[in-house]
Every structure is written in C-alpha cells, then in structure tokens.
Amino acid sequence: MDAINGTSAKTATLNIGDKSWELPILDGTIGPQVVDIGKLYGQTGMFTYDPGFTSTASCESQITYIDGDEGVLLYRGYPIEQLAEDGDFLETCYLLLYGELPTAAQKADFDYRVTRHTMVHEQMSRFFHGFRRDAHPMAVMVASVGALSAFYHDSTDISDPQQRMIASVRMIAKMPTLAAMAYKYTIGQPFVYPQNELDYASNFLRMCFSVPCEEYKVNPVLSRAIDRIFTLHADHEQNASTSTVRLAGSSGANPFACIAAGIACLWGPAHGGANEAALKMLGEIGSVERIPEFIKRAKDKNDPFRLMGFGHRVYKNYDPRAKIMQKTCHEVLGELGIKDDPLLDIAVELERIALQDEYFVERKLYPNIDFYSGITLRALGFPTSMFTVLFALARTVGWIGQWKEMIEDPGQRIGRPRQLYTGAPARDYVPIARRK
Ligand code: SDX
C-alpha cells in the first residue's frame, strides 16, 4: 500500500562497507512511513544519530495527527477546526481518552465524573502557603501537581485500568482548581471552591475571578472562548512535553509525577512558555514603527532574539490553531468592547510583514498557536505569568491520554536513548598530589 509520499517497498536496504541489511518499512494510516531500526544496533553495532528527533518517530500512536506541510491537525481523525467550532473541551477530552466521540449519555456521564473530581484535598491549600506570593505560577503548578501523588494513593497503581482512568479523570478535573489556586495565591485573594452546577470553563473563570464580596456572573461568550482555547491546546503528537511525560511514564512513575514532568518541560520559552514570551515581545516592540528593527534582529544570526510565537518544528504552513486563536481573539476583544488593542495592531502588522519577508518565507516560518493566545488571555483578565499555566491545564488531557496509550501498549519498555560519545577515552586516576 502506498502511504502518502511513501513507497510500496516493504524494506529499506542499508549498505555499510561490503555489508548490507534489510530494515522493515512500516506504514501508518496516513502520513510518513517509518524505517524500523529497533534491531539496527544488534545487527550493525551502530546507533542512529538524531538530536532533537527531527527525523525520528519515538512511538506508534492513534491519538493525534499533524500534517505540517498542509497545516492539518486531527484529534482521533477529527479536524481541529470542527472540534473547536462545534464541540466543547470535555467532549474533546472524552475523544482523546476513549478514541470516539461520546454519545449524549456518555458525555453526560463523563461531565458528571469530571465535575465530581474538581475539589482537591483540603491540605493541598496549606501546600501553596509555602511559596512566596511572587512565585511564578508555573513553579507552583510543577510542585502542586507532583504533590498530588502524595494524596491519591488509590489511583497510582498503573497496572490497574480502573485506577489509570480514575487518575486521568482526576488530573483533568483538578488542573483548573490548582491553576486557579496558583493564580489566587499570587494576588493574595482567597481560594474559590469549584461549583458543580457550572460547566468546566465557567467553573475555571469563576474560581479565578470571583471574590467573596460579590456575586460573579460568568460571561457565556468569554466562557465559550476559553473552552475553545482549551480544545486548541489539548494535544499535539509527540511534542517536547508529551515526550517528557511518555519517557517519565516508561519507568513506571505514577501519572501525577509524569504530568508534573510535562509541566516543567512545557514551561520553556521554546515550547509552551512562548505565549508568555510572545506577549512580552509585542510589548517590547511597543509600536508598529519599530517592527522592522525587530524583524532585522530576528534574522541576525548573532542576535539570540527570535520572533516568539513564530515557527514550528512540524508546521511548515500556518498552524491551524493560530487561525482559530486569531478569530477567538477578535471575538473576545469585541465582547469586551476593546476597540483597538495596540498589541493586537502590532501582532497583525508583524505577521503581515513577516509573511512577506524572504527569510521567513524561505524557512516556512508562520505564526503558531502562541502568537495570538497571549493577547486573548490578557484581554480575558489573566496576567502574563498565567498564560503557560492555561496551556498546561489544557494539555493535561493530551499528556494523560498519551501516557495511558503508552502504558497500555503491550510492547512498552523503558525509554533509554543511546549517544555518540566524544569525551575522553579510558585513562587512569591521578592522585591529587601528582596533578600539575
Ligand atoms: C509550541 O512541538 C509542538 O507541537 C509544540 C507546540 C505544541 O502544541 O505542543 O506546538 C507548542 O511549542 C509552539 C512553538 C512555540 N515556540 C515559539 O514560538 C518560540 C519561537 N520559535 C522557535 O524557537 C522555533 O521556531 C521552534 C523552537 C518552535 C522550532 O525550532 P526548530 O524546529 O528547531 O527550528 P530551528 O530552530 O532549526 O529553525 C530553523 C530556522 C533557523 O534558521 P537557520 O539556522 O536555518 O538560518 O528558522 C529560524 C532558525 O534561526 N527560526 C526563526 C524562528 N524560528 C526558527 N527565526 C526567527 N524567529 C523564529 N521564531
């Protein structure tokens, strides 16, 4: 069967010197084929070498598919545009976890199960008080999610399918509560308990923005917007943080600890931290007139500055999520009566100029999901430091779904990459008295 851009050959021939080996070629449902090199070292005594995994498939998965050249993103085969438009985040969570869209009864049951796991152990609130108030909320999230391992011993036996699903539902349910607590703690306001009669996104907005002194009314347009933003961020194949979760999980670590590892990885500015960095960059540019100066810096190899929110390892076309995020940004600003947001003007003009510039065109650098998310989240009332926390909240379902898929894979083994060693050859110890 010819996979797209593939070959009908079933093996690849590797010739080294006068020897040759046949390596199996495996087909996916769609997308690039793979050459199975699992036995290469045993056969040839050689490793492959691919820092950054630019040409390496680390696993087989049935959850998410990206066609970077076409700018396509599918969750279990469904296009992100349709899920973001017609579904809601918990429906996407069900789809990612179970593999199929839920019936009305299944959706109602799933919503019910998630809603009833939204509270955290009361002692978790004391855990927060060990932090300085100015701690970055991502530091708080790494620590508090890892700390969940200390509270939920009845869902850490990863060999029990029941416990794996309870842990998955608990993670999805408790992330908004912990994220809201991290936010409230930094602004010195009391924690707000979840309300079971609210939907997932509305509950989160209320836990973040309500205060004891007055009733909080959820704005349905804003709640729908944040729900859609969660759907856009839910999963994305084997990105750096998902690969971190898989590697941590491959040792048998409990799911809470694995998600904490994923949060730590997502924090980096090259990954999930880019939404925070992109907004800071727009603020640093400050005016449309200064855009050419920053475009020049982004192209200068001697300048570490990069256009944050631009470029992607896989997308060599427009990130489909960025288009939906841009539309959501306009919706939110419109609902809030924000006529002209100077940062949005800079973002739109920066995008226009970059997409015409040879440097970006040649390297197929387009806006990614982080380019417009910061402006939207800021308009919704979140401080910059909470942007990556919201990314982590939404990506938790992707992480836990990929973790579950890995644990349930009968061929699963601990991940243990090898290396190209270029250090010192073997040499004898020299006592300190004899060192020069
Ligand atoms: C996310 O993997 C995922 O799926 C991630 C994610 C998800 O949902 O999980 O999509 C979320 O992390 C989105 C990406 C957010 N990061 C940023 O916006 C940070 C800015 N972008 C870059 O740092 C970069 O584009 C990466 C990290 C996203 C991708 O880096 P790659 O694939 O390693 O690409 P590269 O660094 O090899 O760049 C290729 C060329 C280089 O120029 P040359 O050496 O070929 O001359 O493009 C240039 C780079 O210098 N380049 C940029 C650029 N991104 C790449 N130049 C200026 N500005 C940029 N943003």
Side-chain angles (χ1 to χ4, degrees), residues 174-428:
K174 296 182 191 309
M175 280 299 275
T177 310
L178 292 172
M181 290 169 79
Y183 171 54
K184 284 300 200 186
Y185 186 72
T186 58
I187 59 174
Q189 288 185 1
F191 296 143
V192 176
Y193 287 96
Q195 291 287 311
N196 287 351
E197 75 275 8
L198 292 177
D199 65 65
Y200 191 85
S202 303
N203 219 347
F204 176 61
L205 288 176
R206 183 180 169 281
M207 289 190 285
C208 287
F209 298 122
S210 77
V211 288
C213 338
E214 60 188 25
E215 207 37 48
Y216 178 80
K217 258 183 83 39
V218 178
N219 177 325
V221 173
L222 303 186
S223 162
R224 177 79 193 113
I226 196 82
D227 187 271
R228 189 185 307 140
I229 290 169
F230 289 161
T231 298
L232 294 179
H233 287 81
D235 193 44
H236 215 235
E237 286 192 1
Q238 307 310 318
N239 58 83
S241 52
T242 299
S243 301
T244 301
V245 170
R246 277 182 172 259
L247 199 54
S250 73
S251 75
N254 75 70
F256 304 106
C258 295
I259 300 300
I263 296 173
C265 177
L266 185 76
W267 195 0
H271 190 13
N275 52 18
E276 181 176 349
L279 196 83
K280 282 186 181 146
M281 172 192 74
L282 294 173
E284 196 189 339
I285 294 173
S287 70
V288 167
E289 292 67 33
R290 291 192 65 203
I291 289 175
E293 170 196 334
F294 283 84
I295 294 269
K296 186 162 172 285
R297 283 188 57 195
K299 292 154 65 171
D300 178 358
K301 288 291 156 243
N302 302 316
D303 188 332
F305 173 79
R306 283 196 164 181
L307 285 190
M308 301 317 282
F310 250 80
H312 199 277
R313 172 61 58 76
V314 177
Y315 288 121
K316 301 308 171 194
N317 199 324
Y318 213 105
D319 181 337
R321 304 169 298 173
K323 280 198 188 111
I324 304 168
M325 182 59 77
Q326 188 183 29
K327 178 171 158 277
T328 305
C329 184
H330 287 295
E331 258 175 42
V332 167
L333 296 182
E335 173 64 18
L336 295 169
I338 301 172
K339 292 273 173 293
D340 45 33
D341 179 331
L343 293 188
L344 179 61
D345 296 344
I346 295 171
V348 169
E349 182 60 6
L350 176 59
E351 175 187 347
R352 188 189 66 77
I353 297 175
L355 295 186
Q356 292 170 349
D357 185 293
E358 193 40 41
Y359 173 93
F360 296 90
V361 172
E362 203 179 273
R363 290 167 179 77
K364 298 183 178 176
L365 300 175
Y366 290 86
N368 59 51
I369 189 165
D370 295 310
F371 191 62
Y372 285 103
S373 59
I375 299 168
T376 315
L377 297 177
R378 187 185 68 148
L380 285 167
F382 294 101
T384 315
S385 62
M386 279 294 291
F387 293 177
T388 311
V389 171
L390 269 64
F391 194 150
L393 186 168
R395 184 53 59 87
T396 293
V397 63
W399 289 331
I400 207 80
Q402 299 265 357
W403 167 81
K404 240 170 114 295
E405 182 180 63
M406 176 202 61
I407 296 288
E408 290 162 6
D409 172 356
Q412 188 266 325
R413 306 168 71 189
I414 190 167
R416 204 297 187 192
R418 304 303 300 271
Q419 62 178 11
L420 172 69
Y421 178 68
T422 56
R427 50 184 171 165
D428 292 329

Side-chain angles (χ1 to χ4, degrees), residues 20-37:
S20 73
W21 292 269
E22 293 302 311
L23 302 172
I25 292 178
L26 308 178
D27 293 329
T29 321
I30 45 178
Q33 296 168 297
V34 298
V35 176
D36 181 346
I37 57 166

